[in-house]
Amino acid sequence: MALPKNKAWLLKGCLLVSLILSGCGGRPLSEREIVRGVFFSEQEGGYSACLVLADQEAESNSDTLHKIAAGRGATPAQALERAEDSLYGEVYYGLLDLAVLPSDSTWQTAREIGMLLYENAQPAPELSIFLLGKEPVESWARQGSAIYRQLKATERTAQVHCGLQQLFANEEICAIPALSQGAAYDFVLLPENGPAIRSSGMTAQLAAVLCGQTTRMEGTYAFGRGRCRVRAQAVAEGNRIRLHLREGEYQSLSETMQDPETAFCEELQQAFSMLCGKLRNTGADPFSLRIWQFCTYGNGKLLQEPVLEILTE
């Protein structure tokens, strides 16, 4: 006999809740080690891995309370395995939402760790990828939870997001935001054939916009003489990128800056030229300029120098 409609929905709801609490089968989450962050750094010729775990024994349910587990190894995979082995319970990655790569990662390192996360952790789509900052990590036990909180706050306030799949979206280069001690975040381009290109300030935010990882630009520019907050969207056609700036707020912080909006646009043009110049010898195309030129001019045409057009609205 079929259940009444309201009872059928109640049964489905109970089953869903039970699946969530048990991690979709197996032991309940209360008996597992719930990983929220996985961090890697290079250390003494090898790697160290840090697991930032939810502290389920804490009296408060606050997301700011964490446990830390760490391990070292010759490879990222070995370091992660040893960090997992230091725990008593079964490791659960279903709620993982942050992974951090070594500050001096190469294209090869980024993709190696990316594949490790895909194969072992099988993270949710909400997972964010960052690089560590330039300052070395002295102790995961003292700094791991603080780094997790800082980067989650950066993701929320700066509205920047690099998903795990974006490490593999372009065969020639990885584009990843990074922890910064000053500005909202740095931005690092890791070409397969060339050195890392690390930028900060508005150059970093412009690179993130062009890579499709944010639509927000905010902070100081022109050596601290101006401040802005603006929505940004890039649209490419041929060799031209049209950068649409909307809802812009521009403020002069110095008597020497008479037109903060014009100064901001000039800084973006300089940043674009710098980024394109550093990428020229790598053969990489993180901003998809080559694709748009092929779409517009055809496969047999000589590639033209990219041009940035800034449209304030």
Side-chain angles (χ1 to χ4, degrees):
M1 180 177 67
L3 287 172
K5 187 175 182 179
N6 58 342
K7 291 186 177 180
W9 278 108
L10 179 61
L11 178 59
K12 290 179 181 179
C14 292
L15 289 173
L16 177 60
V17 171
S18 65
L19 287 174
I20 293 174
L21 294 178
S22 64
C24 297
R27 298 170 61 185
L29 291 183
S30 59
E31 299 179 9
R32 297 186 180 190
E33 299 285 3
I34 302 174
V35 181
R36 301 306 305 271
V38 179
F39 303 166
F40 295 91
S41 69
E42 292 192 16
Q43 196 171 53
E44 299 176 357
Y47 292 87
S48 69
C50 168
L51 297 177
V52 180
L53 305 136
D55 189 351
Q56 300 190 79
E57 297 180 358
E59 295 182 359
S60 169
N61 292 324
S62 172
D63 287 338
T64 64
L65 301 176
H66 303 109
K67 297 190 302 180
I68 299 296
R72 296 184 182 182
T75 65
Q78 188 178 67
L80 181 60
E81 182 180 8
R82 290 178 176 174
E84 293 174 344
D85 290 344
S86 69
L87 297 167
Y88 293 105
E90 180 182 346
V91 178
Y92 177 69
Y93 286 100
L95 298 177
L96 175 66
D97 59 12
L98 179 65
V100 183
L101 280 55
S103 60
D104 51 357
S105 291
T106 63
W107 176 88
Q108 291 83 357
T109 303
R111 290 172 69 91
E112 178 185 354
I113 295 177
M115 286 303 302
L116 176 64
L117 293 172
Y118 263 124
E119 294 172 357
N120 290 2
Q122 298 181 357
E126 293 79 12
L127 174 67
S128 294
I129 305 295
F130 280 86
L131 289 183
L132 279 175
K134 295 181 179 180
E135 296 294 325
V137 177
E138 297 179 357
S139 169
W140 287 125
R142 293 196 305 269
Q143 298 171 262
S145 181
I147 292 173
Y148 176 87
R149 295 196 304 270
Q150 180 179 351
L151 287 178
K152 293 304 293 182
T154 296
E155 182 185 20
R156 182 175 62 256
T157 57
Q159 298 178 17
V160 61
H161 178 78
C162 174
L164 182 59
Q165 74 282 357
Q166 289 175 283
L167 296 182
F168 305 94
N170 190 321
E171 287 292 331
E172 303 166 344
I173 195 168
C174 296
I176 313 172
L179 181 66
S180 173
Q181 298 299 323
Y185 55 90
D186 290 347
F187 202 80
V188 184
L189 299 171
L190 301 174
E192 180 182 10
N193 300 309
I197 303 169
R198 191 180 190 112
S199 56
S200 60
M202 286 301 155
T203 303
Q205 295 188 38
L206 175 63
V209 170
L210 297 179
C211 288
Q213 296 184 17
T214 189
T215 58
R216 180 186 180 96
M217 304 183 76
E218 180 176 3
T220 59
Y221 59 94
F223 302 102
R225 295 186 297 119
R227 172 178 289 277
C228 76
R229 179 167 58 187
V230 64
R231 293 287 178 183
Q233 182 180 14
V235 179
E237 182 178 352
N239 68 319
R240 296 182 177 276
I241 292 183
R242 294 185 175 90
L243 184 66
H244 297 266
L245 302 180
R246 301 183 175 95
E247 305 172 16
E249 299 176 13
Y250 308 95
Q251 179 184 4
S252 175
L253 302 179
S254 170
E255 294 180 356
T256 62
M257 179 176 288
Q258 302 299 322
D259 188 345
E261 180 177 328
T262 299
F264 178 65
C265 294
E266 290 175 351
E267 178 151 325
L268 294 185
Q269 289 288 0
Q270 296 172 3
F272 183 74
S273 297
M274 185 273 291
L275 290 169
C276 291
K278 291 188 175 182
L279 287 166
R280 190 169 293 118
N281 295 328
T282 69
D285 185 28
F287 310 142
S288 302
L289 300 176
R290 189 185 309 144
I291 296 174
W292 283 107
Q293 291 207 43
F294 287 160
C295 292
T296 304
Y297 308 122
N299 198 10
K301 297 293 184 178
L302 183 65
L303 297 181
Q304 302 180 32
E305 282 292 316
V307 175
L308 179 67
E309 295 182 353
I310 301 177
L311 306 174
T312 57
E313 303 172 9

